[in-house]
Amino acid sequence: MRSETVKKYRPYPGIDLPDRSWPNNTISKAPIWCSVDLRDGNQALVQPMNLQQKLELFQLLVDVGFKEIEIGFPSASEVEFAFARRLIDDGLIPGDVTIQVLTPARESLIHKSFEAVKGARRVVMHLYNSTSTLQRRAVFKMSRNEITALGVEGARIIKEEAEKCPETEFRFEYSPESFTGTELDFALSICEAVMDVWQPTALKPVIINLPSTVEMATPNVYADQIEWFCRHMKNREAAIVSLHAHNDRGCAVAATELALMAGGDRVEGTLFGNGERTGNVDIITLALNMFTQGVDPELNLHDMNRLIAVSEQVTDIPVHVRHPYAGELVYTAFSGSHQDAINKGMDLCEREGQGKWEVPYLPIDPRDVGRTYESIIRINSQSGKGGVAYVMDREFGLKMPKSMHPEFGSIVQKVTDSVGRELQLSEIWAAFEKEYLLGKAPFFLNSFDVVKRHIDNDEQASSAEIEAVVLVNGEKRTIRGGGNGPLDAFCAALKSEIAEDFLLSSYHEHALTESSSSRAVAYIQVTQPDGTKKWGVGMDTDIIVASIKAVLSALNRFV
């Protein structure tokens, strides 16, 4: 940056809190969650949600498990007002859910807000007015006393209006807007002045929401502010301290986590961090961060695909592919070393079966949020042999021997280099099939029979005689031979009558499914007299035939 532009900015002042205690704390339980998707998130949209979209999102928030949902700003527009009435008049609010509405500290708008929620069972009436040093000076041109009087008057009107509606259980919330841009002593004094009007108790506390309306400093500063506020406020037991972080510096999640450690009780945020400017705190990330630490977030996030689908549909904002926990690629590894580590970690986790999730590069089990293992490893030019082997195992049931991984990995590498993009599963299978299964020249098995077989308890005495028809460049050749088993007999006959000398240097086999009628797959490595080695693969319902096909597969690959 140019030096003259840097001079335009100054550091945020620190908080005098030398005995801060929050760094020694940990998050051990979920906060009270309040979704503000339908208000703060809606204000962020180029095209705000229509009534039907709001209803769909509200139902999703209920299904996720939010017990407090800010449904809008009913005094701001008719759509917001109509949505509140629709929820109430049609009985769409579950009995255990409290709706919340936002209102400025203006009498006419407060009255409009009460009209919007008339008849609701439980409502949080959320009052705010701006308190920041900059806005007092640049926007409102009002003193501290004038700003305080505005908030106190709003609180008085709210209290009077609530007393006229005994059928509704009202709770009150106050936000000194731009708390992080307000002097701490003034933020405290105006909140306490509002509390003096509402007269909360420990049994009926108010919500004091302390928003980082504009994120202005590092997360530790927000935590210091919250701890200072909690220490100094009177009647702390009569207040629920609520956090409402924005993401202007990209640190909203971290700031909220530290502020919870500093004494916060409640979090207002949105799914996937949707909100004005750079967004609100992302509740999905925040909740699943707790989940990774063994803390129940008390939200139902097991169907991530539905969360993404509804959110994208109603907001027209795509979830980023690298979004923590939800992005399309966050459970995906392209790097070969990462793929190998994930593959080995999953195998170890499954073998040990101790119920603890410990897999490299994957902080949570994708299944816990409705994802599948099949999508974890994807193949591009950065992928290695371990990742390719993982895909072949998980997607196609082929457990290639470890010493075969480099060979097939290099084959796939050539394909990715040629196409210059990520490979689809079908393309990976096509590469395998072309290389190992479809070759018919020079050798192709036309028929095979075990003419005679003798099995003795002494393995050395076992023997077999075979007869086979092999197509050699399309010409039928009948071969006969004997050995200590059908495969050995076939190889002896092949070397005697058709092929040059070779050695079977490695052999592996397994069933493709667990049923007795399933196909078997054989992997055989053939070594030529000059020491060169190649793998062959064969599949058949008969393991002996699969093995013979594997031998011919390897021999064909030498040509």
Side-chain angles (χ1 to χ4, degrees):
M1 302 298 290
R2 297 192 303 275
S3 59
E4 61 269 24
T5 62
V6 174
K7 293 177 182 178
K8 292 164 57 178
Y9 305 96
R10 57 187 175 186
Y12 191 91
I15 308 301
D16 183 18
L17 198 67
D19 59 341
R20 60 182 58 82
S21 62
W22 63 260
N24 296 321
N25 298 333
T26 58
I27 298 172
S28 58
K29 65 176 182 178
I32 301 166
W33 299 108
C34 177
S35 162
V36 294
D37 291 86
L38 289 161
R39 194 270 300 173
D40 216 343
N42 190 44
Q43 289 177 183
L45 306 179
V46 175
Q47 180 61 47
M49 287 176 265
N50 58 37
L51 187 60
Q52 188 55 45
Q53 289 172 321
K54 283 176 173 285
L55 290 170
E56 186 173 1
L57 181 54
F58 179 80
Q59 185 57 54
L60 178 69
L61 297 172
V62 169
D63 293 344
V64 165
F66 287 101
K67 302 307 179 187
E68 297 182 8
I69 301 173
E70 190 166 86
I71 61 171
F73 200 147
S75 63
S77 74
E78 286 306 311
V79 173
E80 300 278 280
F81 186 94
F83 176 57
R85 293 310 321 160
R86 176 72 175 272
L87 290 176
I88 297 165
D89 294 339
D90 290 2
L92 301 177
I93 305 168
D96 61 347
V97 171
T98 299
I99 59 171
Q100 177 172 304
V101 292
L102 183 70
T103 180
R106 290 172 55 186
E107 184 170 7
S108 61
L109 301 182
I110 292 173
H111 288 312
K112 182 80 170 178
S113 300
F114 273 91
E115 289 176 29
V117 299
K118 186 176 179 59
R121 283 184 294 254
R122 284 192 301 277
V123 177
V124 172
M125 190 59 67
H126 184 182
L127 173 72
Y128 80 95
N129 66 307
S130 183
T131 61
S132 80
T133 308
L134 179 59
Q135 292 212 43
R136 294 198 317 263
R137 178 167 57 86
V139 181
F140 300 106
K141 304 186 187 308
M142 296 173 72
S143 67
R144 284 189 176 194
N145 288 340
E146 289 172 313
I147 292 291
T148 300
L150 191 63
V152 167
E153 178 63 10
R156 184 191 63 78
I157 297 169
I158 282 179
K159 184 178 181 182
E160 289 181 353
E161 290 299 308
E163 290 171 350
K164 298 175 184 178
C165 307
E167 73 281 4
T168 300
E169 178 188 336
F170 279 103
R171 294 164 57 206
F172 303 144
E173 176 176 353
Y174 176 67
S175 290
E177 189 194 3
S178 297
F179 164 74
T180 48
T182 304
E183 308 93 328
L184 278 176
D185 64 322
F186 179 50
L188 179 62
S189 69
I190 191 170
C191 288
E192 289 182 337
V194 168
M195 289 175 69
D196 286 343
V197 175
W198 284 338
Q199 292 293 300
T201 66
L203 295 177
K204 191 175 181 180
V206 297
I207 299 168
I208 297 298
N209 190 53
L210 303 176
S212 176
T213 309
V214 179
E215 188 176 33
M216 305 170 74
T218 51
N220 61 295
V221 174
Y222 189 45
D224 280 350
Q225 291 170 319
I226 297 302
E227 181 166 339
W228 186 96
F229 193 96
C230 291
R231 280 191 195 183
H232 288 84
M233 74 181 302
K234 64 183 182 183
N235 297 330
R236 172 66 180 90
E237 72 283 355
I240 294 170
V241 173
S242 179
L243 310 170
H244 185 118
H246 281 249
N247 202 41
D248 301 84
R249 292 170 54 94
C251 300
V253 168
T256 303
E257 288 178 328
L258 299 190
L260 285 171
M261 292 159 58
D265 306 304
R266 181 177 184 266
V267 171
E268 294 187 348
T270 58
L271 301 178
F272 307 114
N274 182 38
E276 286 193 283
R277 305 185 314 278
T278 56
N280 291 61
V281 68
D282 177 358
I283 286 182
I284 298 286
T285 299
L286 192 58
L288 288 174
N289 281 357
M290 295 178 191
F291 182 64
T292 68
Q293 304 304 301
V295 176
D296 184 357
E298 299 178 14
L299 292 175
N300 302 318
L301 305 177
H302 60 275
D303 189 356
M304 190 62 67
N305 291 332
R306 182 190 174 212
L307 294 173
I308 294 169
V310 174
S311 179
E312 290 184 339
Q313 188 274 317
V314 300
T315 65
D316 199 30
I317 297 175
V319 173
H320 197 279
V321 294
R322 298 295 182 191
H323 183 288
Y325 306 111
E328 179 186 352
L329 299 179
V330 298
Y331 303 112
T332 299
F334 291 108
S335 163
S337 62
H338 289 200
Q339 292 174 341
D340 185 56
I342 291 172
N343 190 7
K344 291 174 179 174
M346 286 186 170
D347 287 344
L348 180 63
C349 202
E350 291 176 1
R351 283 201 312 273
E352 292 185 345
Q354 296 178 352
K356 297 296 183 184
W357 178 257
E358 292 181 319
V359 174
Y361 303 110
L362 294 179
I364 67 170
D365 185 341
R367 292 176 298 186
D368 292 335
V369 290
R371 295 293 179 84
T372 59
Y373 288 145
E374 285 75 9
S375 63
I376 289 174
I377 289 180
R378 290 160 63 169
I379 304 302
N380 67 7
S381 61
Q382 301 299 306
S383 303
K385 60 185 185 301
V388 173
Y390 176 91
V391 169
M392 294 303 293
D393 183 0
R394 296 289 177 172
E395 297 290 343
F396 306 111
L398 294 173
K399 303 180 185 300
M400 295 186 298
K402 187 173 180 60
S403 54
M404 183 180 170
H405 293 181
E407 181 182 281
F408 185 55
S410 65
I411 291 167
V412 171
Q413 185 86 39
K414 290 177 183 178
V415 177
T416 58
D417 287 342
S418 67
V419 300
R421 57 170 171 77
E422 176 191 350
L423 294 187
Q424 301 298 313
L425 293 176
S426 59
E427 293 173 305
I428 299 170
W429 172 254
F432 181 87
E433 193 175 43
K434 177 181 178 182
E435 189 69 27
Y436 295 104
L437 301 179
L438 297 182
K440 295 184 179 180
F443 306 118
F444 180 73
L445 184 65
N446 185 69
S447 65
F448 174 82
D449 289 297
V450 177
V451 178
K452 184 178 180 181
R453 188 166 188 179
H454 173 73
I455 300 177
D456 195 288
N457 290 331
D458 181 359
E459 292 184 3
Q460 298 300 320
S462 299
S463 63
E465 296 178 10
I466 63 94
E467 178 177 294
V469 177
V470 178
L471 298 182
V472 182
N473 292 319
E475 180 183 345
K476 289 185 178 181
R477 297 279 299 273
T478 300
I479 60 174
R480 299 176 181 85
N484 58 21
L487 178 60
D488 183 58
F490 177 81
C491 290
L494 196 64
K495 287 185 280 188
S496 172
E497 302 184 34
I498 296 178
E500 297 180 358
D501 191 29
F502 62 87
L503 175 69
L504 303 189
S505 47
S506 190
Y507 176 91
H508 298 266
E509 66 179 59
H510 65 80
L512 283 175
T513 67
E514 295 181 357
S515 65
S516 59
S517 62
S518 69
R519 290 192 302 166
V521 58
Y523 310 89
I524 292 181
Q525 188 182 55
V526 170
T527 301
Q528 291 193 324
D530 63 2
T532 58
K533 299 179 179 182
K534 289 190 182 293
W535 283 92
V537 181
M539 293 184 188
D540 199 87
T541 53
D542 186 320
I543 186 57
I544 295 174
V545 175
S547 301
I548 290 168
K549 288 181 177 179
V551 171
L552 297 180
S553 167
L555 292 174
N556 287 339
R557 295 187 60 241
F558 278 110
V559 177

